[in-house]
Amino acid sequence: MQDFEPKIVAFCCYYCAYSAADLAGSLRLQYPANIRVIEMPCSGKTDVRVLLEAFEKGADGVYVLGCMEGDCHFLKGNYRAKRRVKQAKKILDEIGIGGERLEMYNLSAAMGPRFAEIAQEFTERIKKLGPSPLNKNYPPPPKEGEGHKGNSTKAGEGE
Amino acid sequence: MIIAEAKPLAEVAGLINDAQKILVVGCGGCVTVCLAGGEKETGILAAALRMLRKKEGNPLETVEVTLTRQCDPEYVDMLAKYVTDDIDAIVSLACGVGVQFLAERYPKWVVPALNTKFAGATIEHGVWEERCGLCGECILHKTGGICPVIRCSKSILNGPCGGSQNGKCEVNPETPCAWQLIYDRLKTLGKLDLLLEIQPPKDWSKSRDGGPRKVVREDVRLA
Ligand code: SF4
Ligand code: SF4
């Protein structure tokens, strides 16, 4: 599994992690290119369904970055994120993908070096775990627009 | 409202093992409020089932629809266009009423994704508690609005029993003694004399007896 380069999605809170990522950039800190950063208004925007969807669309690992506990711009967003990550981990365990492929970290906007360190740590973790079982059976992850064939509809309103 | 909770994922997956394509149907009623079967939960269950099956090398196709309610025929009818020939099973995230309604209406294998628990209310966000046992003949006016049928562990109508201690139930010290609550409440209301009246045995024939109960309102019937 030497040449395995995991796909990792990092959901980043705008107020801390995203600023920390900026800082890491200005400090010219190196971190693995495996991370795809997605900006969120607050880690409290974390949704179990979206976390699962990241895995379904081909991620080998996912993590959520929120502000330090007690320092959330919206007071409790990061606590809510923590619980939802826990819930999603449980579901990933039940599916057999493994909850350890998902994590929640806390950092502040001033922690540029920590941002890079987390990227490093988490990439190492996923490299050790190997590709997600979903990607093992089906080597090419679905391209954009070629995902599952299901659709989501709300019937019964305005019909 | 009716309170339900999700069945374990493996159990639901086991029920649709042979299906290639399923219709996952959420309900916008009670189970949305208790976060067990709304649009979001429907999406999570569908995604989890797809991933589980993909991992097993036996991919599953899902179609997700959330009806306003599954306990009303007009909404259940709206599902018709999604119940195509290639649908092998319908997974319902409603209470048992919704599951039965879908099964009655569509000639498909319909399975429940939830366990329907009780008639209750939200105590705090994420905590629900039973409040009514649907006994068919309400006596809350005699007990200060506290239901002894459900909130007393022994459902006694002339309480408390000998086990009530420090306001707690002997069956579970976490549970407040319903009859202590009733006493306190009637005292506040100045109606303690209500407790002197001996309650006769309850007429359970109005409850779980004699087949399904029915409520008919002639004044609102259309035909
Ligand atoms: S007395 Fe019967 S109807 Fe009234 S709340 Fe209790 S169980 Fe429900
Ligand atoms: S202690 Fe109170 S609630 Fe518990 S069984 Fe006795 S009367 Fe009912």
Side-chain angles (χ1 to χ4, degrees):
Chain A
M1 213 45 80
Q2 274 316 10
D3 50 357
F4 164 56
E5 287 299 339
K7 280 205 176 68
I8 294 172
V9 181
F11 289 99
C12 294
C13 153
Y14 170 78
Y15 290 96
C16 56
Y18 208 73
S19 312
D22 266 354
L23 184 59
S26 341
L27 292 173
R28 305 268 186 275
L29 297 173
Q30 296 281 330
Y31 59 87
N34 306 65
I35 316 292
R36 276 99 170 133
V37 171
I38 296 181
E39 182 188 337
M40 291 197 288
C42 168
S43 63
K45 188 86 181 76
T46 303
D47 185 316
V48 175
R49 188 174 181 178
V50 173
L51 296 177
L52 295 183
E53 206 171 308
F55 284 99
E56 197 177 8
K57 292 265 162 76
D60 298 295
V62 174
Y63 63 92
V64 178
L65 288 175
C67 301
M68 302 299 283
E69 293 195 352
D71 285 345
C72 173
H73 190 81
F74 299 102
L75 307 180
K76 288 181 184 162
N78 48 1
Y79 293 108
R80 299 207 165 109
K82 186 175 166 184
R83 289 184 183 175
R84 294 190 197 132
V85 165
K86 196 171 158 205
Q87 172 76 2
K89 272 171 165 283
K90 193 173 144 247
I91 297 175
L92 289 171
D93 276 334
E94 283 177 350
I95 298 172
I97 289 176
E100 67 277 17
R101 290 181 182 275
L102 173 65
E103 208 50 76
M104 165 101 194
Y105 295 95
N106 301 83
L107 78 181
S108 80
M111 292 162 86
R114 178 68 185 136
F115 181 89
E117 202 177 285
I118 291 171
Q120 189 70 46
E121 265 172 40
F122 194 76
T123 307
E124 286 307 316
R125 181 201 289 197
I126 302 299
K127 277 193 173 166
K128 276 205 194 94
L129 290 170
S132 150
L134 293 184
N135 303 338
K136 272 184 201 149
N137 283 353
Y138 287 76
K143 290 200 196 77
E144 201 46 54
E146 275 184 17
H148 67 88
K149 296 211 193 76
N151 54 3
S152 179
T153 320
K154 184 144 176 117
E157 262 165 23
E159 277 199 32
Chain B
M1 67 182 152
I2 293 182
I3 311 294
E5 68 182 357
K7 277 187 184 290
L9 182 64
E11 189 182 336
V12 180
L15 297 173
I16 50 152
N17 252 339
D18 306 329
Q20 300 304 310
K21 182 172 178 181
I22 59 167
L23 185 56
V24 191
V25 191
C27 175
C30 311
V31 292
T32 292
V33 185
C34 68
L35 310 177
E39 199 175 2
K40 192 180 263 187
E41 269 63 32
T42 303
I44 292 173
L45 177 66
L49 289 171
R50 285 195 304 269
M51 288 198 268
L52 190 76
R53 290 279 293 266
K54 186 176 176 188
K55 202 189 111 248
E56 290 166 355
N58 178 20
L60 176 74
E61 208 180 313
T62 62
V63 179
E64 296 160 36
V65 186
T66 298
L67 299 176
T68 300
R69 283 194 296 280
Q70 284 186 38
C71 54
D72 268 318
E74 46 272 51
Y75 297 121
V76 172
D77 281 347
M78 287 177 184
L79 202 60
K81 63 172 182 277
Y82 302 100
V83 190
T84 47
D85 288 344
D86 56 341
I87 294 287
D88 303 313
I90 302 177
V91 176
S92 164
L93 288 91
C95 71
V97 178
V99 179
Q100 294 186 52
F101 245 40
L102 294 192
E104 268 167 50
R105 172 69 175 76
Y106 299 105
K108 295 280 183 190
W109 174 238
V110 182
V111 300
L114 306 183
N115 289 324
T116 308
K117 307 298 269 190
F118 49 75
T122 314
I123 301 302
E124 61 179 80
H125 197 70
V127 180
W128 296 274
E129 201 169 85
E130 187 167 18
R131 280 290 184 268
C132 170
L134 315 173
C135 77
E137 194 174 39
C138 195
I139 53 162
L140 286 176
H141 55 291
K142 296 177 178 176
T143 57
I146 292 146
C147 173
V149 176
I150 278 308
R151 300 189 63 183
C152 165
S153 309
K154 299 169 189 171
S155 296
I156 53 178
L157 299 187
N158 295 283
C161 73
S164 177
Q165 276 190 24
N166 307 320
K168 298 296 180 196
C169 174
E170 70 168 340
V171 173
N172 179 354
E174 304 272 291
T175 309
C177 166
W179 278 99
Q180 177 76 48
L181 296 178
I182 292 169
Y183 173 84
D184 294 344
R185 172 93 173 137
L186 291 179
K187 194 171 173 194
T188 324
L189 295 175
K191 285 186 185 297
L192 275 179
D193 50 313
L194 275 178
L195 289 179
L196 297 175
E197 198 183 315
I198 310 271
Q199 296 307 319
K202 197 166 167 59
D203 178 3
W204 290 105
S205 73
K206 308 239 168 59
S207 185
R208 307 285 154 80
D209 183 82
R213 290 172 275 174
K214 196 181 267 183
V215 171
V216 181
R217 279 270 308 263
E218 287 301 347
D219 56 334
V220 294
R221 286 185 86 176
L222 295 177

